[in-house]
Amino acid sequence: HHSQYRLLYIALLFLSSSSSSYLPPPIYINTMKLSLSICAKELPVVGDYYAKATLGDEDIGKTDIITASANPSWKSVLTCEDPAGKTLTISVCNVADDDAIVSSMTCPMDQLMEQSTVALDADGSDGSAVLAVHCEEYEFAPGTLQLKLEGHGLKNKERGLGFLRKSDPFYVLSIIDGEVIYQSEVISNDLSPTWKLANIDLAVLFAAGLDLTSPLSLVIFDKDRGDKKDLMGTVSTSVQLLIEAHHMRVADEKGAKDGLLRVKRAALVGHGGGSTVSQAATQALENAANVLLASQNIDKAKEVAAKCQERAIELEKESVSKQTAATEAAEDTAQAKAIATELAEQAAQSAEASKTQVCSGSLQLTLKGGDLPDTDGLFNKSDPFYQIYGADGGSMYQSEVVQNSLNPTFKTAELDICVLTNGDLEGPLRITLHEQDEGQDKDYLGQIVTSVKDVMEATPSDALDLKKGNAPTQGHMFVAKAELIDYKDLKEETAKLQTAAQKAKAAIPAQEKAEQLVETAAKKAEDNATKAKEAADAAQKQVEEMEASM
């Protein structure tokens, strides 16, 4: 709130400067601020817990974690502003259960401010858990900023002696056009200084009506003789930015970036209100919680009666729900039949396709050559290309010609896997290598006979030797990439679809029985509801007897 009214104050200053010497005082809103202390009793299980609070729709914060306890009393406190007329919600969360809320309470803040301490039965608890909250007047402490800075590559201001000596930097942190908050020590002859950890009292900042986000000036100087100093650079920042930043650029007198400041540590110590629960708050919380626990026996009996009644109602609703489930089961049966029919049709289509084509898909193949024969003489190199032959023995693919290279990398070829293998991935795969001469002439350099299976298993370093008749190896080919795309063995695909259709058909009888099973469950739920009603009546009678005996 203060920052908004500071802007209004600045506007008033501007307007008044042209017509009068009168300066109105700063305008602030007096807001109520409270510290809240929290404890819990008899949580369902021993565990690691923390509490979180909301005031209306605003999250106030959360406490520290108390470990291995079913009766945590948190040492940290939470603060709230302008609480009047709002509702406070306290929730206890179990760390081991993914921060699930195990207990909670809601309380009007007007009631809490009037009574100081309120204890209530915890919602969501399986046992006799109680939550208590206590409020006290908030006492603000400005705190201390612990700051350690490190410079890097700062500008050398030693005129004429830069090659012999470096600047002696120190920094000054101050309010914009205002009071100095802190001045560091001088680091001699160093353009990458590390200053000592500073403990900066923030009382000056808050006394000026500012906060952690208010702009501050951080100026770096070179210490000269006497009281003289030279400006080395400036940084515009705030306490919040110092805490969040890892590094900051330093600007020289002309605004150009010149050097770097690294934030080695920036932390607030003792900022805010009292950080721990007062003795009075602790005693008030304990008393309120224990008084409420003492009166819970009769409340438990009432809860048992109410739960029995709720259970009877739930079972009656369950009977209706089971009938609805029977209708849904019939719909599931119809859907299962439709799926079985569709799968059977797909299997028939696949079987028909497999009569003329044993497989489908493609092979993406990238080949590279290595140490290929040179047939172009001393001043040139071969211009190689390759051909791939299909299962029928005919050429099905010819690569591009790579000019003047004995170690070519060819473009990726996409080959119809059925034409290439006719479904036999282990069958012979023939690749021939040629050298393109002038015109249409070409020289045969050798061939490789392998298989798609071997090509798929080859690593980029596995050499496939080129053979030309009975001559020694004529260079090598390497598989840079070999990948089957959308490959299907149509016979296997047909078998899978047929199996899936049979399974879908076999599941239909079970679906048809679902409605009957749900009707049986509904009748059972009705019987259970009658028994629960009898138990609820007995529990209510026990409550009345306990109240009469008090």
Side-chain angles (χ1 to χ4, degrees), residues 143-171:
T144 299
L145 172 64
Q146 291 188 344
L147 181 64
K148 186 171 184 178
L149 296 179
E150 182 181 273
H152 285 272
L154 301 180
K155 188 173 184 178
N156 194 354
K157 302 295 287 187
E158 294 294 330
R159 300 181 182 87
L161 296 175
F163 65 96
L164 294 176
R165 180 169 175 76
K166 302 173 185 176
S167 294
D168 305 321
F170 68 96
Y171 70 87

Side-chain angles (χ1 to χ4, degrees), residues 9 19 27 87 141-142 153 169 254 256 258 279 281 311 323 330 354 359 371 400 413 438-439 495 504 512 547:
Y9 177 56
S19 58
I27 302 173
T87 299
K254 296 180 180 180
D258 200 349
Q279 183 176 358
R311 180 58 177 162
Q323 188 59 46
S354 68
C359 61
D371 297 327
E400 79 281 10
E438 294 183 2
E512 291 174 335
E547 289 179 332

Side-chain angles (χ1 to χ4, degrees), residues 237-387:
T237 186
S238 68
V239 173
Q240 190 66 41
L241 288 176
L242 287 169
I243 294 172
E244 296 174 353
H246 296 291
H247 63 270
M248 301 173 289
R249 290 290 180 183
V250 179
D252 62 14
E253 58 268 22
K254 296 180 180 180
K257 303 302 182 183
D258 200 349
L260 184 73
L261 275 184
R262 289 183 178 171
V263 181
K264 304 297 288 183
R265 173 175 172 79
L268 286 177
V269 178
H271 174 73
S275 60
T276 58
V277 183
S278 67
Q279 183 176 358
T282 301
Q283 189 62 51
L285 287 169
E286 290 289 330
N287 291 342
N290 289 334
V291 167
L292 186 56
L293 284 173
S295 65
Q296 278 191 338
N297 286 336
I298 192 169
D299 292 337
K300 287 181 181 179
K302 290 180 178 179
E303 289 176 5
V304 169
K307 287 179 179 179
C308 288
Q309 184 62 35
E310 290 173 1
R311 180 58 177 162
I313 295 172
E314 288 174 1
L315 290 175
E316 289 178 0
K317 292 180 179 178
E318 184 178 347
S319 178
V320 177
S321 176
K322 292 294 184 181
Q323 188 59 46
T324 301
T327 302
E328 293 175 350
E331 295 174 352
D332 291 343
T333 300
Q335 184 179 8
K337 290 179 178 180
I339 291 173
T341 301
E342 182 180 356
L343 288 172
E345 291 174 354
Q346 291 177 1
Q349 293 172 359
S350 180
E352 185 65 25
S354 68
K355 293 178 181 179
T356 57
Q357 186 176 344
V358 297
C359 61
S360 63
S362 63
L363 173 67
Q364 289 186 352
L365 182 63
T366 306
L367 295 179
K368 299 173 68 174
D371 297 327
L372 300 182
D374 187 358
T375 62
D376 282 0
L378 180 61
F379 297 104
N380 293 304
K381 297 178 182 177
S382 296
D383 305 322
F385 69 94
Y386 69 87
Q387 288 182 302

Side-chain angles (χ1 to χ4, degrees), residues 11 32 36 86 147 194 211 254 322 356 389 444 457 475 519:
M32 180 181 294
L36 304 179
K86 298 179 181 178
L147 181 64
T194 298
D211 57 30
K254 296 180 180 180
K322 292 294 184 181
T356 57
Y389 296 83
Y444 174 67
E457 294 175 353
E519 289 177 353

